[in-house]
Amino acid sequence: MDETATATAAMAVGQLRNFAKAGRKIAGAGMNYKALLPILKVDAPKEPVIFLKPSTSYITEGQRIVIPKGFAVNEEIELGVVIGKGGKNIEVGAAMDHVGGYCVALDMTATSELTTARSAGLPWCIGKGFDTACPVSRFIEKSEITDPHKVQLWCTVNGQPKQKGNTDDLIFDVPQLISFVSRYMTLEPNDLILTGSPPGMGPVHPGDTIEGGIEGLLSVKFAVTSE
Amino acid sequence: MDETATATAAMAVGQLRNFAKAGRKIAGAGMNYKALLPILKVDAPKEPVIFLKPSTSYITEGQRIVIPKGFAVNEEIELGVVIGKGGKNIEVGAAMDHVGGYCVALDMTATSELTTARSAGLPWCIGKGFDTACPVSRFIEKSEITDPHKVQLWCTVNGQPKQKGNTDDLIFDVPQLISFVSRYMTLEPNDLILTGSPPGMGPVHPGDTIEGGIEGLLSVKFAVTSE
Ligand SMILES: [Mg+2]
Ligand SMILES: [Mg+2]
Ligand SMILES: [Mg+2]
């Protein structure tokens, strides 16, 4: 483990602005909106479903989402939580102290690869981790979001409404996700937790423009291209 | 993506010695020894089975493997390949130029978590990525291993022989693994590719000592403890 793992002091917000360059861990929560369960016809997971994306999957505004040859890819709009203070076995009650800020993220997901992998019991790695699979907004200061469980997310593709959801619908909330992940994997400053995506995600194609954001706060736009 | 992603110059070997501190990506290959197939009663995978471990799972000699509460954990001795020169879409024929060196690694695997995850089509993340799940040896200079496909690996638990295998038995060899991973995920200097484990892996318990290595080159020893 890196020495940052044991750092207990919160990192200065100025440094967290570069989370997409400095961050080493992206832990995403799957199936984390209640409204998704009847659509997917699944029961609520008993504990958070956590997958990893590599830091090489980050892109920021101005960069394009590149769909690998032969892949079918969905967009998933999500609230991202940027860790400010690292830790291990973080208690739910203390978890918000570890939040350094937020971002809006697109958890780009290769459904083609994920469907095959899931039915064979194989890793989600390629389906979630391909280059450009983690477009993120600018860093959002912690103070810009009064309550992370009252965040209205939206996403359009080519101007057509696709996703809408409020983080009040999360199955596992932000402190529960932080606590669960840190139970197994030490969190470090600049790590990102993706909190899951509300219903409406669907396939995107080269030439599309994905726009999404948090109502009343900010929006991001990413163009989709082919390899 | 980080600017290092586009770095084409090989990193000085002196810097790679710190791969376990500086590295951001650990990509492991599963089911990659021919001798495993009849034991697991599975066909050879058509392409490499790749999973991720987070960099927080690294430990080096002197540190202990900590088994999380309630987990059943296997040891897997593996040849690790340390990337010296990053790249994307690396051709098989050029892949060895991207190798900076090697290590001996234990791909510690929580079979308890992995079995449940696999049968439900869920991510391998926790089963492969818990803290201390990636013990590694010192950096091995590239020149110390003349042929990475003639490496004799061994592993004992409390002095009892457990694993033995030669990398001449790999299903996907080192260049093929580098090429495949880099097809989807840009490789960066200090990234690690775990090449898979030969038969004989089995459960380890608090109090055990795992010893493993490369015949005629080096060995490492890690104590196992409970949380
Ligand atoms: Mg995974
Ligand atoms: Mg998602
Ligand atoms: Mg392995």
Side-chain angles (χ1 to χ4, degrees), chain B residues 179-199:
Chain B
S179 179
F180 181 83
V181 171
S182 78
R183 165 96 185 71
Y184 301 106
M185 301 186 287
T186 295
L187 286 170
E188 300 175 309
N190 290 302
D191 281 352
L192 180 67
I193 294 182
L194 301 172
T195 57
S197 193

Side-chain angles (χ1 to χ4, degrees), chain B residues 18-38:
Chain B
N18 284 318
F19 72 95
K21 280 197 193 301
R24 306 210 298 171
K25 196 191 289 101
I26 306 171
M31 295 175 271
N32 200 33
Y33 273 79
K34 291 173 198 157
L36 266 184
L37 302 176

Side-chain angles (χ1 to χ4, degrees), chain A:
Chain A
M1 281 173 286
D2 192 80
E3 39 264 63
T4 55
T6 51
T8 49
M11 192 168 267
V13 167
Q15 291 177 260
L16 293 175
R17 285 205 187 103
N18 285 318
F19 71 95
K21 282 198 194 300
R24 304 211 298 172
K25 197 191 290 100
I26 305 171
M31 296 176 271
N32 200 33
Y33 273 78
K34 290 172 199 158
L36 267 182
L37 301 175
I39 298 168
L40 298 177
K41 298 190 173 82
V42 294
D43 292 329
K46 286 190 189 65
E47 48 183 39
V49 171
I50 301 296
F51 57 86
L52 294 170
K53 285 176 184 266
S55 54
T56 40
S57 65
Y58 272 125
I59 58 170
T60 51
E61 277 194 282
Q63 296 183 286
R64 282 154 182 246
I65 298 164
V66 182
I67 299 186
K69 230 164 272 170
F71 278 32
V73 171
N74 273 7
E75 103 288 347
E76 298 187 359
I77 188 84
E78 313 208 352
L79 175 68
V81 176
V82 180
I83 298 299
K85 185 170 81 169
K88 165 89 174 162
N89 286 324
I90 297 168
E91 303 281 353
V92 166
M96 288 306 298
D97 297 343
H98 294 260
V99 175
Y102 303 92
C103 69
V104 167
L106 289 168
D107 170 23
M108 302 306 296
T109 301
T111 52
S112 49
E113 311 315 295
L114 214 58
T115 305
T116 316
R118 293 195 62 179
S119 64
L122 294 179
W124 289 22
C125 173
I126 305 292
K128 287 289 192 182
F130 60 92
D131 286 353
T132 78
C134 196
V136 291
S137 73
R138 69 160 173 88
F139 176 73
I140 301 171
E141 313 278 337
K142 194 175 180 182
S143 60
E144 291 180 83
I145 294 185
T146 320
D147 182 350
H149 305 108
K150 287 214 171 75
V151 169
Q152 185 67 38
L153 293 166
W154 61 272
C155 184
T156 66
V157 177
N158 304 327
Q160 299 298 311
K162 293 287 178 191
Q163 298 189 257
K164 227 178 213 327
N166 194 293
T167 54
D168 64 6
D169 192 42
L170 290 182
I171 296 170
F172 298 102
D173 67 12
V174 171
Q176 287 172 315
L177 291 175
I178 290 172
S179 178
F180 181 83
V181 171
S182 78
R183 164 94 186 73
Y184 301 106
M185 301 187 287
T186 294
L187 286 170
E188 299 175 312
N190 289 303
D191 281 352
L192 180 67
I193 295 181
L194 300 172
T195 57
S197 194
M201 61 279 273
V204 294
H205 303 98
D208 285 349
T209 299
I210 307 174
E211 202 170 348
I214 295 176
E215 243 176 56
L217 183 56
L218 90 169
S219 68
V220 284
K221 199 189 277 197
F222 288 93
V224 180
T225 186
S226 58
E227 242 177 358

Side-chain angles (χ1 to χ4, degrees), chain B residues 135-156:
Chain B
V136 292
S137 74
R138 70 160 173 87
F139 177 73
I140 302 171
E141 313 277 334
K142 193 174 179 181
S143 61
E144 292 179 83
I145 294 185
T146 320
D147 182 350
H149 305 107
K150 287 214 172 75
V151 169
Q152 186 66 38
L153 293 167
W154 61 271
C155 184
T156 66

